[in-house]
Amino acid sequence: MIPDSVDIAVHRVYFFFESGIIFYVFIINLIYLFLVTLGFFALRKHHAPSSPADRDALRRSPLTPSISLIVPSYNEEVSVRESVGCMLWLDYPNYEVIVVNDGSKDRTLEYLIEEFKLYKSARSVSGPLETKPVRRVYESTEPVRLLVIDKVNGGKADSINAGINAARCDLVMVVDSDSLIERDGLFEMVKPFLEDPETIAVGGTVRAVNDCEVRRGMVRQIRTSRSMLANFQSVEYLRAFFGGRVGFSLFNCMLIISGAFGLFRRDRAIEVGGFDHSSIGEDMELVVRMHHYYRDRKQGYRIAYVAAPVCWTEVPQDWKILHRQRKRWQRGTVDSLWRHREMLLNPRFGVVGMFAFPYFTLFEMFGPLVETLGYLLTIVGLMFNIISGAVAILFFTVSIGLGILLSTSAVLLDELTPCRFPHWKHTLTLFGAAVLENFGFRQFLTLCRAQGLWDAVRGKKTSWGVMIRRGFSTTP
């Protein structure tokens, strides 16, 4: 028999922790709602796509910067021909495509040689960034701006660095080999570099291409996927880009540019040491290192996000693959924040150290653990009558109700962009996904990220594993 005094103490402690978690989740969602609201005004004011006259002026201007598209590829035979073919047809006056085959074990290199009529080139690849040995360099017999580097396997960061070494342009863009860039997307990506000479990196929007109609490497018809799992991720991407990244970009404290679609000044990327092959999340780590490097030296710089250009990529439609992907993403976040922990709450690093870094540490890194604990405490508390039903309802209202508000708001923001769905049925489907994802999908991601945090704490090292590609849909 438990004494009444002990029972009361247990209830009080339990209620204290439950209240703290409710407050924590409420603050997360409140900050995100603030960022989504900022995103609404920013999208209307600063993120309108260029007019045809603007693009025509950039085509003729000698000041338009040149771009090297770097495409790291490992076992991408399913989509590499379509993706590279799309990149060779982009509407931009001065760019090159550099595909880096990172020791693929499938027919990625063979398909590239066949499709683009490649021959072994005498061109050598050397530069300031150390990489695994390059076996061969290929160029095309056709009049296309394509260079293919075949190198010993060293990972994605190592492949990107090899591409940076080979690049001959002012800017370098990192693009996944399973991605499709909109034909005029490069014009939008260079705008921040032209508007502000201190710009050193720019991120664009990534969207799910699953079941969209693709012809000749271009997305011709935007559709929702037949897979609800893919639609859930579409909503998640909209929430992350139109809310979080737009807001953080306004304060010049964005800590991540997607590894699938990022544009960097080549000289600045080399100055900070390129992509770190020892990092789990090389894309985020480079951006955080840029903040660290330039704020530490009190040099002016800008890292921006633009919503108008879109890179289309295939998202997982298998729960196991998604689970593995999100665990790795979380370990990449933990790794990047830990490497640059000096910035945390350090006034010397300005808004990055005092706002963005604490936000990512408190909410992005530890958030999944706290949220998972919240679900467990609430369920156990109800089962053993430790908390009242009103407290449980309050927790689920804060975690799920506000989550629905954020997700549906992100879908509404999508309607302000040129890439909105042309048919109301697809928009309605996405609104449905924005509601349903809060009942299972977000909890699944929270658990994946909590496991990723635990793996990072234990120092667990794992590979990407196999990502099953379905390829791009070409049927109307």
Side-chain angles (χ1 to χ4, degrees):
M1 185 75 177
I2 300 175
D4 289 344
S5 59
V6 175
D7 187 56
I8 292 171
V10 169
H11 278 73
R12 285 178 176 174
V13 170
Y14 209 98
F15 182 77
F16 173 79
F17 279 105
E18 182 77 17
S19 300
I21 290 172
I22 291 173
F23 180 74
Y24 177 95
V25 174
F26 175 74
I27 292 298
I28 292 179
N29 287 318
L30 191 64
I31 293 174
Y32 222 89
L33 188 61
F34 169 70
L35 293 173
V36 168
T37 304
L38 284 180
F40 170 76
F41 292 105
L43 282 173
R44 296 191 64 179
K45 186 175 181 180
H46 301 294
H47 293 262
S50 301
S51 66
D54 292 335
R55 292 194 293 271
D56 191 52
L58 285 174
R59 286 189 197 95
R60 297 195 306 267
S61 174
L63 300 178
T64 301
S66 57
I67 300 176
S68 295
L69 271 66
I70 299 174
V71 190
S73 301
Y74 179 72
N75 292 348
E76 299 287 356
E77 64 179 14
V78 173
S79 57
V80 71
R81 287 183 291 192
E82 191 101 36
S83 180
V84 174
C86 164
M87 294 176 199
L88 293 172
W89 282 95
L90 294 177
D91 181 14
Y92 196 77
N94 187 9
Y95 77 98
E96 64 177 351
V97 178
I98 302 174
V99 180
V100 184
N101 179 52
D102 190 38
S104 295
K105 297 177 181 178
D106 64 357
R107 299 188 64 195
T108 297
L109 181 60
E110 294 175 48
Y111 285 172
L112 287 169
I113 292 172
E114 292 171 6
E115 181 73 15
F116 301 105
K117 298 179 174 58
L118 303 180
Y119 68 91
K120 294 178 184 177
S121 170
R123 179 173 168 181
S124 62
V125 175
S126 61
L129 303 178
E130 186 177 343
T131 68
K132 292 288 186 180
V134 172
R135 295 183 183 125
R136 296 182 186 86
V137 178
Y138 296 87
E139 294 185 87
S140 178
T141 58
E142 298 183 339
V144 294
R145 297 155 288 190
L146 175 64
L147 184 75
V148 175
I149 299 171
D150 181 34
K151 61 179 285 293
V152 175
N153 180 265
K156 184 176 180 180
D158 191 77
S159 298
I160 298 170
N161 287 340
I164 293 175
N165 283 339
R168 294 177 174 176
C169 298
D170 308 314
L171 306 175
V172 290
M173 172 177 280
V174 181
V175 187
D176 283 350
S177 56
D178 62 336
S179 300
L180 301 174
I181 303 174
E182 291 193 322
R183 193 161 189 270
D184 58 358
L186 297 187
F187 286 116
E188 306 299 334
M189 291 292 280
V190 300
K191 281 169 63 177
F193 292 95
L194 298 172
E195 294 167 353
D196 186 348
E198 291 190 338
T199 300
I200 61 173
V202 171
T205 301
V206 179
R207 294 183 56 146
V209 75
N210 301 50
D211 292 315
C212 291
E213 182 186 343
V214 177
R215 291 199 304 270
R216 297 188 64 185
M218 302 297 294
V219 177
R220 304 294 182 179
Q221 184 72 44
I222 303 172
R223 297 191 294 239
T224 50
S225 175
R226 291 185 290 270
S227 165
M228 191 54 73
L229 181 59
N231 291 332
F232 289 157
Q233 292 171 80
S234 293
V235 172
E236 180 199 12
Y237 279 31
L238 293 177
R239 189 172 59 239
F241 285 98
F242 294 161
R245 297 193 191 179
V246 171
F248 283 113
S249 177
L250 289 173
F251 299 107
N252 194 26
C253 62
M254 187 171 63
L255 294 189
I256 183 169
I257 288 176
S258 173
F261 197 32
L263 185 62
F264 301 85
R265 272 184 54 174
R266 181 177 181 270
D267 58 345
R268 294 300 183 92
I270 291 174
E271 183 181 0
V272 299
F275 287 77
D276 190 338
H277 62 83
S278 68
S279 174
I280 302 169
E282 68 285 329
D283 48 2
M284 179 177 181
E285 195 281 327
L286 175 63
V287 176
V288 177
R289 184 164 13 111
M290 283 180 156
H291 282 294
H292 195 159
Y293 183 91
Y294 291 109
R295 285 190 178 268
D296 200 31
R297 288 160 178 75
K298 295 181 170 57
Q299 296 182 30
Y301 74 98
R302 182 187 175 208
I303 297 175
Y305 165 76
V306 283
V310 172
C311 175
W312 298 88
T313 191
E314 185 180 352
V315 299
Q317 292 186 193
D318 180 274
W319 290 94
K320 289 183 179 179
I321 294 174
L322 180 62
H323 174 252
R324 185 167 58 236
Q325 180 196 66
R326 297 316 171 88
K327 282 203 305 179
R328 183 179 175 94
W329 285 7
Q330 185 67 17
R331 285 192 292 119
T333 298
V334 175
D335 178 72
S336 299
L337 295 175
W338 177 252
R339 286 170 182 253
H340 301 278
R341 58 191 179 277
E342 177 193 2
M343 301 173 70
L344 179 62
L345 294 175
N346 191 332
R348 192 168 87 249
F349 296 98
V351 69
V352 177
M354 299 304 292
F355 172 61
F357 214 94
Y359 173 87
F360 271 79
T361 302
L362 190 60
F363 299 130
E364 295 294 335
M365 188 166 84
F366 290 113
L369 183 62
V370 175
E371 205 169 334
T372 300
L373 184 62
Y375 283 110
L376 289 175
L377 284 178
T378 302
I379 293 171
V380 171
L382 280 175
M383 289 174 59
F384 292 95
N385 202 30
I386 301 175
I387 61 172
S388 66
V391 173
I393 291 172
L394 180 60
F395 171 77
F396 287 115
T397 299
V398 168
S399 60
I400 295 178
L402 288 179
I404 293 173
L405 175 62
L406 290 171
S407 296
T408 52
S409 297
V411 177
L412 282 173
L413 286 179
D414 182 46
E415 290 298 302
L416 299 177
T417 70
C419 285
R420 61 183 180 271
F421 291 98
H423 199 283
W424 65 269
K425 288 183 179 179
H426 298 293
T427 302
L428 191 62
T429 298
L430 209 61
F431 268 112
V435 174
L436 293 176
E437 62 131 14
N438 291 276
F439 299 94
F441 175 74
R442 286 188 64 193
Q443 290 76 17
F444 171 79
L445 292 189
T446 298
L447 184 60
C448 293
R449 293 171 61 204
Q451 290 176 333
L453 174 61
W454 176 240
D455 288 345
V457 170
R458 292 188 299 156
K460 183 178 180 181
K461 303 289 185 182
T462 58
S463 63
W464 271 111
V466 179
M467 169 65 180
I468 300 173
R469 304 290 188 193
R470 297 169 65 245
F472 303 119
S473 172
T474 57
T475 57

